[in-house]
């Protein structure tokens, strides 16, 4: 048979980028490899790329993909493909070595053996999904790379804060700089550094709909404590390991102080606010959401101490300790903590009280609270 590729059919009626349920363009490639056997193996290489002149439109500013900036003003997708083919052996060797090292690290972290292998296989799939939904661009005005995340399997929101947050441990472990580059466009918008005025005292939910960053304040899906807590927890984690926050302070000092004041005023009971579990519907007086805000206040204390403001650090730490005490009393359901303050005999997964351990915070919850909650989870597990 012949070797070659059939061209992708043209469809001028298609609206790009295509939705996840839209019909997909397909291309068929085939090779005539002759007789193939274990003693006479054969291999072929195909290089595929998505050619975008601009990746993101951020409040009117067109942002090119990073590879175009790194290749120079005349760099085109065919140059990218040619470079990939020319350096294929080196790239493949490096990629395979990275994959193997990551797989072994993941397997070991999960205890090794069969269970370790199963966890590693699942985590490698998560790796690919997480990396596949980000777009790295070059900001010509600021002369720096930015990163955006597309909210997949939903409505395609651009850089949703409570979607970035669960991916944060991934980036913190493997490439913290990517997370920094993801948060800066959100801070830029919230700080009114675009032509759109954002006038809320808490963090925004998202930046628009992929690939267009444009949203008015009144069109935000407001999650005040959720997103404010998410932002400061991620920011606090990005201290370069030595308490260095020069990448964000003092440029965004006013914004960060506004957010800490908001949490102090609206805890320990978040009232009737949405949280990231909004697919479950409204959940007023949400215990896990309150925990996020209280933990975030303790993170604020660590942040303020690092940037040289002991008074603000003490204010946040004292508020966190006070609210944590109230939380323990109001959420207590004898053997565990409730879903909502006002709903006895309910439960939820308190994933937000994990973050004091990740950030090595001094409080705000005693370790006994985590132990009690974990012991209760074990009674609900199915064998």
């Amino acid at each position: 048979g012949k070797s070659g590729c059939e061209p992708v059919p043209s469809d001028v009626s298609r609206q790009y980028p295509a939705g996840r349920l839209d019909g997909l363009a397909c291309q068929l490639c085939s090779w005539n490899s002759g007789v193939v056997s274990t003693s006479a193996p054969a291999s072929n290489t195909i290089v595929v790329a998505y050619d975008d002149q601009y990746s993101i439109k951020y409040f009117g500013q067109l942002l090119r993909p990073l590879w175009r900036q790194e290749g120079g003003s005349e760099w085109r997708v065919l140059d990218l493909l040619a470079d990939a083919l020319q350096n294929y052996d080196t790239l493949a060797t490096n990629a395979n070595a990275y994959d193997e090292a990551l797989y072994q690290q993941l397997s070991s972290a999960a205890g090794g053996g069969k269970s370790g292998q199963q966890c590693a296989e699942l985590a490698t799939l998560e790796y690919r999904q997480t990396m596949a939904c980000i777009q790295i661009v070059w900001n010509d005005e600021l002369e720096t790379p930015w990163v955006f995340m597309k909210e997949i399997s939903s409505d395609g929101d651009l850089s949703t804060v409570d979607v970035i947050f669960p991916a944060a441990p991934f980036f913190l472990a493997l490439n913290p700089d990517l997370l920094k580059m993801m948060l800066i466009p959100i801070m830029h918008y919230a700080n009114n550094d675009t032509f759109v005025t954002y006038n809320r005292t808490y963090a925004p939910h998202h930046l628009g709909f992929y690939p267009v960053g444009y949203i008015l304040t009144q069109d935000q899906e407001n999650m005040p404590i959720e997103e404010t807590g998410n932002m400061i927890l991620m920011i606090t984690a990005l201290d370069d390991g030595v308490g260095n926050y020069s990448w964000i302070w003092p440029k965004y000092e006013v914004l960060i102080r506004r957010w800490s004041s908001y949490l102090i005023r609206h805890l320990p009971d978040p009232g009737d606010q949405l949280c990231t579990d909004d697919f479950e519907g409204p959940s007023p007086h949400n215990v896990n959401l309150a925990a996020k805000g209280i933990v975030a206040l303790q993170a604020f204390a660590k942040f303020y101490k690092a940037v040289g403001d002991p008074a603000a650090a003490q204010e946040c730490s004292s508020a966190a300790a006070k609210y944590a005490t109230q939380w323990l009393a109001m959420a207590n359901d004898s053997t565990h903590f409730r879903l909502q303050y006002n709903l006895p005999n309910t439960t939820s997964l308190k994933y937000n009280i994990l973050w004091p351990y990740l950030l090595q915070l001094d409080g705000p919850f005693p370790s006994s609270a985590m132990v009690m909650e974990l012991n209760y989870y074990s009674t609900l597990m199915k064998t």
Side-chain angles (χ1 to χ4, degrees):
K2 68 176 182 178
S3 300
C5 295
E6 296 296 325
V8 177
S10 175
D11 182 359
V12 295
S13 67
R14 179 182 295 277
Q15 297 297 310
Y16 289 99
R20 63 185 178 90
L21 298 180
D22 195 8
L24 301 178
C26 298
Q27 187 170 30
L28 175 65
C29 293
S30 62
W31 292 270
N32 183 1
S33 299
V35 178
V36 179
S37 67
T38 55
S39 59
S43 65
N44 293 286
T45 302
I46 181 171
V47 182
V48 180
Y50 178 82
D51 182 19
D52 52 345
Q53 293 291 323
Y54 298 96
S55 299
I56 297 291
K57 187 176 183 180
Y58 179 82
F59 296 92
Q61 181 184 3
L62 293 172
L63 303 176
R64 292 187 181 276
L66 182 63
W67 66 265
R68 283 193 179 277
Q69 188 277 334
E70 291 186 337
S73 59
E74 300 303 318
W75 193 248
R76 298 293 184 264
V77 69
L78 291 180
D79 302 313
L80 182 72
L81 295 174
D83 183 77
L85 283 171
Q86 181 179 349
N87 297 287
Y88 174 78
D89 290 339
T90 300
L91 293 171
T93 297
N94 292 342
N96 290 334
Y98 180 86
D99 286 351
E100 179 61 25
L102 179 62
Y103 184 90
Q104 294 302 328
Q105 182 183 7
L106 293 167
S107 178
S108 177
K114 183 177 180 180
S115 61
Q117 292 176 1
Q118 291 174 336
C119 288
E121 289 168 2
L122 179 61
T124 55
L125 291 175
E126 293 169 346
Y127 181 106
R128 285 159 175 76
Q129 184 182 39
T130 304
M131 288 300 296
C133 69
I134 68 169
Q135 180 74 55
I136 307 176
V137 302
W138 178 257
N139 187 315
D140 283 323
E141 292 183 8
L142 300 179
E143 296 185 334
T144 188
W146 275 4
V147 178
F148 295 87
M149 178 178 283
K150 179 182 180 181
E151 182 175 342
I152 57 175
S153 301
S154 56
D155 57 359
D157 285 356
L158 180 67
S159 290
T160 306
V161 176
D162 59 294
V163 174
I164 296 173
F165 182 70
F170 170 92
F171 293 106
L172 289 170
L174 299 176
N175 195 328
D177 285 341
L178 286 178
L179 184 57
K180 286 182 184 179
M181 291 182 246
M182 217 175 299
L183 298 186
I184 288 295
I186 299 168
M187 301 293 287
H188 199 75
Y189 165 71
N191 200 48
N192 290 323
D193 292 330
T194 72
F195 65 83
V196 171
T197 300
Y198 180 78
N199 55 12
R200 298 287 190 261
T201 56
Y202 46 82
H205 176 266
H206 65 297
L207 294 177
F209 298 94
Y210 183 89
V212 179
Y214 175 81
I215 186 168
L216 301 177
T217 304
Q218 61 266 30
D219 296 326
Q220 286 282 343
E221 183 182 359
N222 297 318
M223 297 184 182
I225 289 177
E226 176 71 49
E227 309 302 23
T228 304
N230 290 339
M231 288 297 292
I232 195 56
L233 289 171
M234 291 187 286
I235 289 169
T236 303
L238 291 166
D239 67 346
D240 295 332
V242 291
N244 177 23
Y245 293 105
S246 59
W247 65 278
I248 203 164
W249 185 277
K251 177 173 175 55
Y252 297 108
E253 176 180 355
V254 172
L255 186 62
I256 289 172
R257 292 190 187 280
R258 186 182 304 142
W259 288 351
S260 63
S261 295
Y262 177 87
L263 291 183
I264 290 174
R265 294 195 312 271
H266 292 85
L267 289 168
D269 187 344
D272 192 10
Q273 290 193 13
L274 282 178
C275 69
T276 193
D277 301 326
D278 57 346
F279 53 85
E280 294 283 357
S283 179
H285 319 293
N286 188 291
V287 169
N288 190 44
L289 178 60
K292 173 168 287 182
I294 296 167
V295 171
L297 276 177
Q298 193 66 47
F300 267 120
K302 180 179 181 178
F303 178 89
Y304 282 131
K305 183 178 179 180
V307 298
D309 191 340
Q314 183 58 50
E315 179 184 24
C316 289
S317 181
S318 297
K322 174 184 175 183
Y323 296 152
T325 299
Q326 294 173 320
W327 185 94
L328 291 168
M330 294 189 295
N332 196 308
D333 218 25
S334 181
T335 59
H336 62 283
F337 299 103
R338 300 173 178 179
L339 167 66
Q340 297 174 199
Y341 286 139
N342 61 329
L343 289 182
N345 303 315
T346 58
T347 188
S348 64
L349 188 66
K350 308 303 186 300
Y351 49 82
N352 286 320
I353 58 178
L354 170 67
W355 277 81
Y357 297 87
L358 298 181
L359 298 178
Q360 298 181 321
L361 300 179
D362 184 17
F365 295 104
S367 59
S368 58
M370 177 70 85
V371 171
M372 184 175 83
E373 190 74 0
L374 289 174
N375 286 341
Y376 181 74
Y377 295 158
S378 66
T379 68
L380 303 177
M381 293 176 63
K382 295 181 179 180
T383 56

